[in-house]
Amino acid sequence: MKPPTTPRPARRALPLLLAALLPLAGCGIPETGVVEAGEPATGVVQPGAAPSPSQEQPTPLPVAAVPLFFVDDGALAPVTRTVPSATDPGTVVLMLFKGPDDQERSRGLTTELPLTAAAPTVRVDGASVTVLLPRGTSSLSDTAVDQLACTVAAARLRQDPALDRAQVTVEQPGGRLAGRSSDDCPAGAEPVRAGTDGTGTAAPRASGTGAPGTSGGTGGGGG
């Protein structure tokens, strides 16, 4: 008996299948898996335009209006200085002792405060402020005390708008004390309150000039 032989159609199909697989292997097509092609695109740059870093807007510095009291023909005259940030009474005192600037002097403003070799000490306790002048400071005139006390009172009221008034004690070398209230000062020492005169500044008192150093008539005249 003859052994079984492969049918002719099957023998013809095998070479054809091998011939079909050879071109695929030559093209380098991987058998399995996914080929990674890098990270996905994240943006489109216009032709000729280079990316620029983001420009941050500078934060504006806060400013504060600080009243200082100088002298004009023997009477107190408040002026307003604009500083780049909020100031405490101690800083305002240093500004006051430096005297009027060139523009203020051209308007005829002067000061009766003497030059000091050291900065005065300022102590704040609620509505009460004590200014201790350094040793070697000459005796202050009444007008000089008024300048100092009213400037400190105005600074304290602006530092804490919740206060209605401020009491200032000036202690000179030798233990001499002088006290003033913000009620004794001319217009300019009151805290700035919204709607006072429509411009954001304190309205003048209705009780006249409000001369410093006299605590009698100034308190009852204002409405």
Side-chain angles (χ1 to χ4, degrees):
M1 176 182 273
K2 294 183 178 181
T5 59
T6 304
R8 290 183 178 181
R11 286 185 295 177
R12 292 178 181 179
L14 181 60
L16 293 177
L17 177 61
L18 294 176
L21 292 177
L22 287 176
L24 295 179
C27 293
I29 298 178
E31 298 180 359
T32 58
V34 178
V35 177
E36 297 291 342
E39 297 293 334
T42 57
V44 178
V45 179
Q46 295 293 335
S52 58
S54 59
Q55 298 179 352
E56 296 182 358
Q57 295 295 331
T59 302
L61 294 177
V63 296
V66 177
L68 304 178
F69 284 84
F70 293 116
V71 181
D72 183 10
D73 195 19
L76 290 190
V79 299
T80 301
R81 298 270 187 91
T82 301
V83 294
S85 61
T87 54
D88 57 273
T91 304
V92 175
V93 167
L94 292 178
M95 297 172 57
L96 178 68
F97 269 90
K98 292 181 180 179
D101 58 23
D102 294 338
Q103 183 179 5
E104 293 159 353
R105 289 186 183 278
S106 66
R107 293 163 45 193
L109 299 182
T110 60
T111 182
E112 293 195 10
L113 288 168
L115 295 176
T116 59
T121 301
V122 180
R123 299 169 182 165
V124 178
D125 183 10
S128 299
V129 184
T130 301
V131 181
L132 177 61
L133 300 181
R135 293 182 179 180
T137 305
S138 58
S139 180
L140 301 185
S141 65
D142 289 342
T143 301
V145 172
D146 294 338
Q147 281 185 251
L148 181 55
C150 289
T151 298
V152 171
R156 180 65 185 128
L157 291 177
R158 279 159 174 75
Q159 185 184 39
D160 189 352
L163 298 176
D164 292 329
R165 66 186 62 189
Q167 182 70 35
V168 179
T169 300
V170 178
E171 183 175 346
Q172 305 183 55
R176 297 184 302 275
L177 299 178
R180 299 287 189 273
S181 170
S182 57
D183 291 338
D184 301 330
C185 299
E190 298 90 344
V192 177
R193 302 186 188 281
T196 50
D197 64 352
T199 62
T201 58
R205 285 190 176 91
S207 57
T209 60
T214 57
S215 58
T218 58

